[in-house]
Amino acid sequence: SQKIEQNSEALNIQEGKTATLTCNYTNYSPAYLQWYRQDPGRGPVFLLLIRENEKEKRKERLKVTFDTTLKQSLFHITASQPADSATYLCFPAGSARQLTFGSGTQLTVLP
Amino acid sequence: DGGITQSPKYLFRKEGQNVTLSCEQNLNHDAMYWYRQDPGQGLRLIYYSQIVNDFQKGDIAEGYSVSREKKESFPLTVTSAQKNPTAFYLCASQYWREGGELFFGEGSRLTVL
């Protein structure tokens, strides 16, 4: 069955550092991978999309990589700020049956 | 403004009662989804619909039912058959194209007393 793993439930980093979140998937081949941000008690909000034929995507302080050989995506937040504290969810998808989210990584940026 | 609206935001139910959660979108999206989220866990798919009058079971459909009579609406009924219904329920919609992002509502928190 499809399985998605995100690194450690919680990640604490110091303000100004780069946060790196990992998403690993097994038993399927997504055509694309999305990352979402979720704040407590709110619905997730879309951040970035990367397709299987793209190695890297950037948006402001965010960078996503997608390695289809390793079946892994890395999500980086550079120059992190306390306002970046949230749970980040990965979503490898590509067909009507690939609709599973990762369990999320709770990021806390310490001032 | 276009968006997706869930109601109610908080709901309390006694054991043995059915409850219906509302989800409405005015984004003209074809696909709609219901997810369940438990504390410290990810989103688990309950049901999804890609077109009016058609819907598919997700990973945890037992104890739930849905309908899709209109493109804009995708209500979820939590029946008394659902053994552990206390959770945070999220509805999402998507323009059905490859890579289309999901737009989520603000969620409905159901507590069974």
Side-chain angles (χ1 to χ4, degrees), chain B residues 30-88:
Chain B
D30 304 298
M32 296 187 75
Y33 308 86
W34 275 105
Y35 285 92
R36 169 182 171 141
Q37 188 173 36
D38 294 285
Q41 295 191 32
L43 280 64
R44 292 186 290 168
L45 183 65
I46 305 172
Y47 268 98
Y48 66 99
S49 168
Q50 294 175 264
I51 194 170
V52 173
N53 292 324
D54 187 51
F55 48 83
Q56 307 296 327
K57 291 183 179 180
D59 300 319
I60 56 165
E62 185 176 350
Y64 299 98
S65 66
V66 293
S67 63
R68 187 84 187 276
E69 297 177 1
K70 299 186 300 182
K71 189 175 184 178
E72 302 80 17
S73 179
F74 192 41
L76 173 74
T77 297
V78 185
T79 75
S80 57
Q82 169 50 233
K83 298 304 179 188
N84 186 20
T86 295
F88 188 50

